[in-house]
Protein backbone atom coordinates (compact mmCIF):
# COMPACT_ATOMS: atom_id res chain seq x y z
CA UNK A 1 0.00 0.00 0.00
CA UNK A 2 1.30 3.40 -0.93
CA UNK A 3 1.37 6.45 1.27
CA UNK A 4 -2.24 7.71 1.55
CA UNK A 5 -0.92 11.26 1.20
CA UNK A 6 0.99 10.47 -1.97
CA UNK A 7 0.09 12.41 -5.09
CA UNK A 8 -0.24 11.21 -8.68
CA UNK A 9 2.63 12.97 -10.43
CA UNK A 10 2.41 14.57 -13.83
CA UNK A 11 5.63 13.87 -15.69
CA UNK A 12 6.67 17.13 -17.32
CA UNK A 13 7.66 16.28 -20.87
CA UNK A 14 10.43 18.71 -21.76
CA UNK A 15 11.05 17.11 -25.14
CA UNK A 16 7.46 17.77 -26.18
CA UNK A 17 7.42 21.39 -24.97
CA UNK A 18 10.78 21.96 -26.65
CA UNK A 19 9.37 20.62 -29.89
CA UNK A 20 6.58 23.23 -29.68
CA UNK A 21 9.18 25.98 -29.17
CA UNK A 22 11.09 24.75 -32.23
CA UNK A 23 7.89 24.84 -34.31
CA UNK A 24 7.41 28.49 -33.36
CA UNK A 25 11.04 29.15 -34.21
CA UNK A 26 10.53 27.51 -37.61
CA UNK A 27 8.02 30.22 -38.52
CA UNK A 28 10.36 32.98 -37.34
CA UNK A 29 13.22 31.44 -39.31
CA UNK A 30 11.04 31.47 -42.44
CA UNK A 31 10.30 35.17 -41.92
CA UNK A 32 14.03 35.84 -41.60
CA UNK A 33 14.69 33.79 -44.74
CA UNK A 34 12.14 35.89 -46.64
CA UNK A 35 14.42 38.84 -45.85
CA UNK A 36 17.56 36.96 -46.88
CA UNK A 37 18.69 36.33 -43.30
CA UNK A 38 19.95 32.96 -42.11
CA UNK A 39 20.49 32.96 -38.33
CA UNK A 40 24.00 31.77 -37.44
CA UNK A 41 25.11 30.14 -34.18
CA UNK A 42 28.71 29.24 -33.41
CA UNK A 43 29.92 26.94 -30.67
CA UNK A 44 33.50 27.03 -29.44
CA UNK A 45 35.02 24.08 -27.60
CA UNK A 46 38.46 24.25 -26.04
CA UNK A 47 39.81 20.76 -25.33
CA UNK A 48 38.07 17.41 -25.51
CA UNK A 49 35.96 17.03 -22.39
CA UNK A 50 33.56 14.21 -23.39
CA UNK A 51 30.42 15.73 -21.81
CA UNK A 52 31.18 19.11 -23.44
CA UNK A 53 31.72 17.39 -26.80
CA UNK A 54 28.32 15.75 -26.47
CA UNK A 55 26.69 19.09 -25.60
CA UNK A 56 28.16 20.98 -28.55
CA UNK A 57 27.33 18.11 -30.92
CA UNK A 58 23.72 18.23 -29.75
CA UNK A 59 23.62 22.01 -30.18
CA UNK A 60 24.96 21.69 -33.72
CA UNK A 61 22.43 18.95 -34.52
CA UNK A 62 19.64 21.19 -33.21
CA UNK A 63 20.81 23.97 -35.54
CA UNK A 64 20.63 21.65 -38.53
CA UNK A 65 17.16 20.47 -37.59
CA UNK A 66 15.58 23.92 -37.32
CA UNK A 67 17.48 25.66 -40.12
CA UNK A 68 19.97 27.69 -38.11
CA UNK A 69 23.42 27.97 -39.68
CA UNK A 70 25.60 26.12 -37.15
CA UNK A 71 29.36 26.64 -37.09
CA UNK A 72 31.71 24.84 -34.76
CA UNK A 73 35.22 25.91 -33.73
CA UNK A 74 37.48 23.38 -32.01
CA UNK A 75 40.57 24.56 -30.15
CA UNK A 76 43.22 22.32 -28.62
CA UNK A 77 43.10 21.80 -24.88
CA UNK A 78 46.44 23.59 -24.55
CA UNK A 79 45.30 26.65 -26.56
CA UNK A 80 46.52 29.89 -25.05
CA UNK A 81 44.10 32.57 -23.83
CA UNK A 82 45.33 34.73 -26.76
CA UNK A 83 44.32 32.08 -29.30
CA UNK A 84 40.85 31.86 -27.83
CA UNK A 85 40.53 35.67 -27.71
CA UNK A 86 41.44 35.79 -31.41
CA UNK A 87 38.61 33.34 -32.19
CA UNK A 88 36.26 35.43 -30.07
CA UNK A 89 37.26 38.60 -31.94
CA UNK A 90 36.62 36.86 -35.27
CA UNK A 91 33.19 35.72 -34.16
CA UNK A 92 32.38 39.18 -32.75
CA UNK A 93 32.95 40.68 -36.18
CA UNK A 94 31.62 37.84 -38.40
CA UNK A 95 28.39 39.16 -39.95
CA UNK A 96 27.07 35.63 -40.53
CA UNK A 97 27.29 34.71 -36.85
CA UNK A 98 24.47 36.24 -34.81
CA UNK A 99 25.16 34.38 -31.61
CA UNK A 100 27.81 32.15 -30.12
CA UNK A 101 29.02 30.55 -26.96
CA UNK A 102 32.23 29.20 -25.52
CA UNK A 103 31.41 25.87 -23.88
CA UNK A 104 32.16 25.78 -20.16
CA UNK A 105 34.31 24.36 -18.57
CA UNK A 106 37.43 25.76 -20.24
CA UNK A 107 40.95 24.45 -19.43
CA UNK A 108 42.63 25.96 -16.39
CA UNK A 109 44.95 28.31 -18.33
CA UNK A 110 41.85 30.21 -19.43
CA UNK A 111 39.71 32.36 -17.18
CA UNK A 112 36.05 31.87 -18.10
CA UNK A 113 34.97 35.26 -16.69
CA UNK A 114 37.41 37.02 -19.01
CA UNK A 115 36.14 34.96 -21.94
CA UNK A 116 32.56 36.04 -21.19
CA UNK A 117 33.56 39.70 -20.92
CA UNK A 118 35.10 39.56 -24.42
CA UNK A 119 31.98 38.15 -26.11
CA UNK A 120 29.99 40.87 -27.79
CA UNK A 121 26.86 41.32 -25.59
CA UNK A 122 24.70 41.39 -28.75
CA UNK A 123 25.96 37.89 -29.63
CA UNK A 124 26.00 36.48 -26.09
CA UNK A 125 23.11 34.05 -26.58
CA UNK A 126 23.84 32.32 -23.27
CA UNK A 127 23.10 35.64 -21.55
CA UNK A 128 26.22 35.45 -19.35
CA UNK A 129 27.94 38.77 -20.23
CA UNK A 130 27.81 41.25 -17.30
CA UNK A 131 25.85 43.71 -19.45
CA UNK A 132 23.21 41.05 -20.13
CA UNK A 133 23.15 39.99 -16.48
CA UNK A 134 22.55 43.62 -15.48
CA UNK A 135 19.79 43.96 -18.05
CA UNK A 136 18.10 40.82 -16.73
CA UNK A 137 18.19 42.15 -13.17
CA UNK A 138 16.84 45.49 -14.41
CA UNK A 139 13.89 43.68 -16.06
CA UNK A 140 15.13 44.66 -19.49
CA UNK A 141 16.54 41.29 -20.57
CA UNK A 142 18.17 41.06 -23.98
CA UNK A 143 18.67 37.30 -23.66
CA UNK A 144 17.28 35.29 -20.78
CA UNK A 145 19.77 32.52 -19.88
CA UNK A 146 18.58 29.34 -21.58
CA UNK A 147 17.96 27.01 -18.63
CA UNK A 148 15.90 29.39 -16.44
CA UNK A 149 14.02 30.62 -19.51
CA UNK A 150 13.30 27.03 -20.51
CA UNK A 151 11.96 26.30 -17.02
CA UNK A 152 9.65 29.30 -17.28
CA UNK A 153 8.37 27.86 -20.56
CA UNK A 154 7.70 24.53 -18.81
CA UNK A 155 5.68 26.33 -16.14
CA UNK A 156 3.69 28.08 -18.84
CA UNK A 157 3.06 24.86 -20.79
CA UNK A 158 1.85 23.01 -17.69
CA UNK A 159 -0.12 25.92 -16.17
CA UNK A 160 2.10 26.00 -13.11
CA UNK A 161 1.47 29.37 -11.55
CA UNK A 162 4.45 31.00 -9.87
CA UNK A 163 2.49 34.00 -8.61
CA UNK A 164 2.56 33.91 -4.81
CA UNK A 165 4.32 30.52 -4.83
CA UNK A 166 7.13 29.68 -2.44
CA UNK A 167 10.02 28.52 -4.62
CA UNK A 168 13.17 26.92 -3.26
CA UNK A 169 16.12 26.84 -5.62
CA UNK A 170 18.99 24.53 -4.68
CA UNK A 171 22.11 26.04 -6.26
CA UNK A 172 23.26 29.62 -6.80
CA UNK A 173 25.34 29.36 -9.98
CA UNK A 174 25.44 32.23 -12.46
CA UNK A 175 23.98 30.04 -15.20
CA UNK A 176 21.03 28.49 -13.36
CA UNK A 177 20.32 29.37 -9.73
CA UNK A 178 20.90 33.13 -9.74
CA UNK A 179 19.14 34.03 -13.00
CA UNK A 180 16.30 31.65 -12.08
CA UNK A 181 15.85 33.42 -8.75
CA UNK A 182 15.94 36.77 -10.47
CA UNK A 183 13.32 35.87 -13.04
CA UNK A 184 10.98 34.28 -10.51
CA UNK A 185 11.10 37.18 -8.07
CA UNK A 186 10.36 39.79 -10.73
CA UNK A 187 7.08 41.63 -10.68
CA UNK A 188 5.67 39.90 -13.74
CA UNK A 189 3.10 37.25 -14.64
CA UNK A 190 5.79 34.60 -14.99
CA UNK A 191 7.44 35.71 -11.74
CA UNK A 192 5.85 37.07 -8.54
CA UNK A 193 7.19 34.14 -6.51
CA UNK A 194 8.80 34.25 -3.08
CA UNK A 195 12.21 32.75 -3.66
CA UNK A 196 14.65 30.99 -1.34
CA UNK A 197 18.07 30.26 -2.81
CA UNK A 198 20.09 27.47 -1.16
CA UNK A 199 23.72 26.49 -1.59
CA UNK A 200 26.42 24.32 -0.07
CA UNK A 201 26.46 26.31 3.19
CA UNK A 202 22.71 26.25 3.69
CA UNK A 203 21.67 24.69 6.98
CA UNK A 204 18.67 22.36 7.14
CA UNK A 205 18.06 22.16 3.40
CA UNK A 206 15.13 19.78 3.92
CA UNK A 207 13.26 22.44 5.90
CA UNK A 208 13.61 24.84 2.93
CA UNK A 209 12.51 22.26 0.34
CA UNK A 210 9.60 20.97 2.45
CA UNK A 211 8.04 24.39 2.77
CA UNK A 212 8.22 25.06 -0.99
CA UNK A 213 5.44 24.84 -3.55
CA UNK A 214 8.10 24.52 -6.24
CA UNK A 215 11.60 23.04 -5.81
CA UNK A 216 14.22 23.65 -8.48
CA UNK A 217 17.26 21.43 -7.98
CA UNK A 218 20.41 22.71 -9.69
CA UNK A 219 23.34 21.66 -7.55
CA UNK A 220 25.04 18.86 -9.49
CA UNK A 221 24.83 16.48 -6.51
CA UNK A 222 23.19 13.28 -7.69
CA UNK A 223 19.83 12.52 -6.10
CA UNK A 224 20.39 15.01 -3.26
CA UNK A 225 16.67 15.75 -3.06
CA UNK A 226 14.47 12.79 -2.20
CA UNK A 227 10.82 12.34 -1.35
CA UNK A 228 11.42 12.77 2.39
CA UNK A 229 12.48 16.37 1.70
CA UNK A 230 9.26 17.28 -0.14
CA UNK A 231 5.69 18.04 0.82
CA UNK A 232 2.83 16.41 -1.03
CA UNK A 233 1.84 18.41 -4.10
CA UNK A 234 5.21 20.08 -4.77
CA UNK A 235 6.31 20.81 -8.33
CA UNK A 236 9.83 19.45 -8.77
CA UNK A 237 12.17 20.69 -11.47
CA UNK A 238 15.37 18.68 -11.75
CA UNK A 239 18.09 20.61 -13.59
CA UNK A 240 20.95 18.33 -12.60
CA UNK A 241 22.72 16.15 -15.12
CA UNK A 242 25.55 13.98 -13.88
CA UNK A 243 27.19 11.09 -15.67
CA UNK A 244 27.29 8.10 -13.41
CA UNK A 245 29.18 4.93 -14.35
CA UNK A 246 26.73 2.23 -15.35
CA UNK A 247 26.53 -1.04 -17.21
CA UNK A 248 25.15 0.55 -20.37
CA UNK A 249 26.40 0.75 -23.95
CA UNK A 250 27.98 4.14 -23.23
CA UNK A 251 29.34 3.03 -19.87
CA UNK A 252 27.37 5.69 -17.98
CA UNK A 253 23.88 6.91 -17.34
CA UNK A 254 22.54 10.42 -16.74
CA UNK A 255 21.33 11.08 -13.22
CA UNK A 256 19.64 14.20 -11.88
CA UNK A 257 19.80 16.01 -8.55
CA UNK A 258 16.47 14.46 -7.51
CA UNK A 259 15.71 10.87 -6.57
CA UNK A 260 12.91 10.52 -9.11
CA UNK A 261 11.27 7.47 -7.61
CA UNK A 262 10.67 8.77 -4.10
CA UNK A 263 10.13 12.37 -5.24
CA UNK A 264 7.45 11.41 -7.72
CA UNK A 265 5.45 9.83 -4.89
CA UNK A 266 5.09 13.31 -3.39
CA UNK A 267 5.27 15.65 -6.37
CA UNK A 268 2.24 16.94 -8.24
CA UNK A 269 4.49 17.42 -11.27
CA UNK A 270 8.11 16.47 -11.88
CA UNK A 271 10.68 16.65 -14.65
CA UNK A 272 12.57 13.47 -15.57
CA UNK A 273 16.29 13.26 -16.34
CA UNK A 274 16.88 13.02 -19.22
CA UNK A 275 13.95 14.53 -21.12
CA UNK A 276 12.96 17.32 -18.74
CA UNK A 277 14.95 20.54 -18.51
CA UNK A 278 17.74 19.55 -20.94
CA UNK A 279 15.71 19.77 -24.17
CA UNK A 280 14.35 23.15 -23.05
CA UNK A 281 17.83 24.57 -22.47
CA UNK A 282 18.74 23.60 -26.04
CA UNK A 283 15.52 24.99 -27.50
CA UNK A 284 16.01 28.33 -25.75
CA UNK A 285 19.52 28.62 -27.17
CA UNK A 286 17.99 28.46 -30.64
CA UNK A 287 15.35 30.96 -29.50
CA UNK A 288 18.03 33.44 -28.39
CA UNK A 289 19.90 32.93 -31.66
CA UNK A 290 16.81 33.72 -33.71
CA UNK A 291 16.20 36.78 -31.52
CA UNK A 292 19.80 37.91 -32.00
CA UNK A 293 19.48 37.56 -35.78
CA UNK A 294 16.19 39.42 -35.80
CA UNK A 295 17.61 42.28 -33.70
CA UNK A 296 20.91 42.69 -35.50
CA UNK A 297 19.41 42.42 -39.00
CA UNK A 298 16.44 44.64 -38.16
CA UNK A 299 13.88 42.02 -39.24
CA UNK A 300 11.09 41.77 -36.66
CA UNK A 301 9.84 38.26 -35.91
CA UNK A 302 7.13 37.02 -33.61
CA UNK A 303 8.37 34.85 -30.79
CA UNK A 304 6.12 33.76 -27.92
P1 LIG B 1 27.59 24.71 -10.25
O1 LIG B 1 28.54 23.66 -9.83
O2 LIG B 1 28.08 25.93 -10.93
O3 LIG B 1 26.75 25.17 -8.98
C1 LIG B 1 26.23 24.25 -8.08
C2 LIG B 1 25.50 24.99 -6.99
O4 LIG B 1 24.93 24.02 -6.11
C3 LIG B 1 26.40 25.89 -6.15
O5 LIG B 1 25.72 27.07 -5.84
C4 LIG B 1 26.65 25.05 -4.90
O6 LIG B 1 26.83 25.83 -3.73
C5 LIG B 1 25.34 24.31 -4.78
N1 LIG B 1 25.51 23.06 -4.03
C6 LIG B 1 26.49 22.13 -4.18
N2 LIG B 1 26.33 21.15 -3.28
C7 LIG B 1 25.23 21.45 -2.56
C8 LIG B 1 24.57 20.84 -1.48
N3 LIG B 1 24.99 19.67 -0.95
N4 LIG B 1 23.47 21.44 -0.97
C9 LIG B 1 23.02 22.59 -1.47
N5 LIG B 1 23.61 23.24 -2.51
C10 LIG B 1 24.71 22.67 -3.03
O7 LIG B 1 26.50 23.96 -11.12
P2 LIG B 1 25.56 24.45 -12.32
O8 LIG B 1 24.54 25.41 -11.82
O9 LIG B 1 26.37 24.80 -13.48
O10 LIG B 1 24.84 23.06 -12.65
C11 LIG B 1 24.10 22.36 -11.67
C12 LIG B 1 23.67 21.03 -12.28
O11 LIG B 1 22.80 21.29 -13.38
C13 LIG B 1 24.80 20.19 -12.87
O12 LIG B 1 24.46 18.83 -12.72
C14 LIG B 1 24.78 20.55 -14.34
O13 LIG B 1 25.31 19.53 -15.15
C15 LIG B 1 23.31 20.72 -14.57
N6 LIG B 1 22.94 21.59 -15.66
C16 LIG B 1 21.93 21.14 -16.45
C17 LIG B 1 21.44 21.92 -17.46
C18 LIG B 1 20.29 21.43 -18.25
O14 LIG B 1 20.02 21.95 -19.32
N7 LIG B 1 19.55 20.45 -17.76
C19 LIG B 1 22.00 23.23 -17.76
C20 LIG B 1 23.02 23.66 -16.82
C21 LIG B 1 23.47 22.84 -15.82
P3 LIG B 1 28.07 26.86 -3.54
O15 LIG B 1 27.71 28.07 -4.35
O16 LIG B 1 28.09 27.10 -2.10
O17 LIG B 1 29.29 26.14 -4.08
Amino acid sequence: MGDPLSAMSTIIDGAQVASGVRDDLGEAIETLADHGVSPGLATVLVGDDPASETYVNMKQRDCEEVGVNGVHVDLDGDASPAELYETIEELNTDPEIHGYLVQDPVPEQIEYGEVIRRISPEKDVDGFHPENVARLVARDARFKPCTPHGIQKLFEAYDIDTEGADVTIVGRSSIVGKPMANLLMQKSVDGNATVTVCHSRTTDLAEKTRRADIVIAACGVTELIDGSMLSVGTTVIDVGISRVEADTEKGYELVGDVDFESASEKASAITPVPGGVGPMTRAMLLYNTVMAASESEGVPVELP
Side-chain angles (χ1 to χ4, degrees):
M1 262 259 286
D3 175 352
L5 291 178
S6 72
M8 222 5 212
S9 276
T10 298
I11 311 290
I12 297 177
D13 187 345
Q16 191 185 37
V17 181
S19 156
V21 172
R22 283 148 174 260
D23 289 346
D24 293 335
L25 288 175
E27 287 174 31
I29 290 168
E30 273 178 33
T31 307
L32 289 169
D34 290 344
H35 291 80
V37 175
S38 168
L41 174 72
T43 51
V44 180
L45 179 62
V46 190
D48 53 10
D49 174 65
S52 297
E53 274 180 357
T54 305
Y55 292 141
V56 293
N57 286 340
M58 288 196 296
K59 288 168 188 175
Q60 288 298 333
R61 208 172 55 218
D62 291 341
C63 286
E64 235 174 81
E65 281 170 15
V66 298
V68 163
N69 176 28
V71 172
H72 180 64
V73 182
D74 251 329
L75 294 180
D76 283 344
D78 59 1
S80 66
E83 280 174 78
L84 176 58
Y85 299 159
E86 204 180 305
T87 300
I88 288 177
E89 204 34 52
E90 281 166 17
L91 293 170
N92 281 344
T93 51
D94 185 336
E96 306 219 321
I97 297 299
H98 300 98
Y100 71 96
L101 59 93
V102 177
Q103 187 69 39
D104 191 34
V106 288
E108 60 186 11
Q109 72 274 18
I110 292 166
E111 202 244 306
Y112 194 59
E114 180 58 24
V115 169
I116 295 300
R117 285 189 289 278
R118 285 174 183 257
I119 295 176
S120 161
E122 289 82 12
K123 297 191 178 190
D124 165 42
V125 280
D126 265 340
F128 297 164
H129 189 282
E131 181 181 309
N132 289 326
V133 175
R135 284 186 59 162
L136 179 88
V137 175
R139 279 197 65 198
D140 177 31
R142 178 189 274 130
F143 302 116
K144 289 186 187 179
C146 304
T147 302
H149 194 188
I151 292 170
Q152 284 191 307
K153 292 280 177 200
L154 289 178
F155 289 152
E156 194 185 315
Y158 281 82
D159 284 330
I160 295 163
D161 200 359
T162 56
E163 172 137 349
D166 283 315
V167 180
T168 293
I169 302 173
V170 185
R172 58 176 164 186
S173 74
S174 302
I175 67 167
V176 188
K178 268 192 270 190
M180 187 79 259
N182 240 301
L183 288 169
L184 289 176
M185 75 169 79
Q186 283 179 3
K187 197 164 185 169
S188 60
V189 282
D190 51 3
N192 285 334
T194 304
V195 182
T196 302
V197 181
C198 304
H199 45 77
S200 66
R201 312 297 161 89
T202 295
T203 53
D204 200 355
L205 180 63
E207 183 268 321
K208 275 93 184 164
T209 51
R210 267 188 219 120
R211 69 169 187 226
D213 303 304
I214 300 174
V215 170
I216 301 176
C219 56
V221 182
T222 54
E223 298 182 339
L224 178 71
I225 313 293
D226 65 23
S228 73
M229 298 169 74
L230 301 168
S231 295
V232 172
T234 310
T235 295
V236 180
I237 304 293
D238 189 355
V239 179
I241 308 178
S242 303
R243 285 185 177 201
V244 172
E245 231 177 86
D247 191 14
T248 61
E249 201 182 312
K250 290 180 173 164
Y252 66 86
E253 62 182 4
L254 299 178
V255 179
D257 291 347
V258 175
D259 171 35
F260 186 85
E261 208 177 311
S262 63
S264 57
E265 283 174 14
K266 293 278 190 69
S268 55
I270 184 166
T271 59
V273 175
V277 175
M280 293 306 296
T281 298
R282 287 159 55 194
M284 301 327 285
L285 179 66
L286 299 169
Y287 181 106
N288 283 349
T289 303
V290 170
M291 255 179 49
S294 159
E295 277 293 316
S296 71
E297 303 285 351
V299 180
V301 293
E302 286 212 16
L303 286 177

